[in-house]
Amino acid sequence: MFRLRMKQMLSIALAALMVQPSPTWAGSSAAVVGSINSYGAVTVGQSAAPASSTLFAGDTVRTQAGNAVVQYEQGARVLLAKSSAAVFTPKTVELQKGQMSFRTTTGKDVTFNATSLRLEPMSDKTAADVTVDNGKASVTVREGSVRAVDPSGTPLAVIPAGEAKLFAMAVPPASAAPEIGRAHV
């Protein structure tokens, strides 16, 4: 009789797990960006990053006393230096603070943002270093070339290999600013 009850309890527990997936399984329905390897103190979202894991669309990676390497499925590779933060999607990397280095192998699969500044690789093999600090973005191109574009879509510069540019942070166009005193739903 005890054996039957144990089997019943096990069946109920397994059925409950199938109906209510664990948080780890539930979060994996987002699009996969690629893989992440972390070294030192790194978080993905609010959790400490394991040494190696999968990165999903919308994940924010923050490095404290460490760094992280993100390998996109399409081939782009991003190194996020210590004391940095970036948001990753399948088509963009948005550096919020700190420094990143990127390398592309297939051209325009991924664009890179330094807050409101959009950086578009102009050739298949492009490598650049980007720093966001004190309201400015610094871009140094090591291979290929990068087009810098402001929030309105206006090209600001094409930066070839071996050159660097410093940009004051662009502000969004006036049409994108919310109206004061008007409720937004």
Side-chain angles (χ1 to χ4, degrees), residues 8 16-17 19 42 53 65 80 105 127 139-140 143-144 160-161 166 177 180 183:
Q8 288 173 337
L17 284 174
V19 171
V42 177
S53 185
L80 195 59
T105 57
V139 181
T140 302
E143 184 178 351
L166 180 64
I180 297 175

Side-chain angles (χ1 to χ4, degrees), residues 117-147:
L117 183 68
R118 188 173 74 232
L119 304 169
E120 302 170 343
M122 300 286 295
S123 54
D124 284 348
K125 294 185 179 183
T126 301
D129 301 317
V130 182
T131 302
V132 172
D133 186 35
N134 292 326
K136 295 181 174 65
S138 168
V139 181
T140 302
V141 178
R142 293 180 281 121
E143 184 178 351
S145 60
V146 172
R147 178 184 9 235

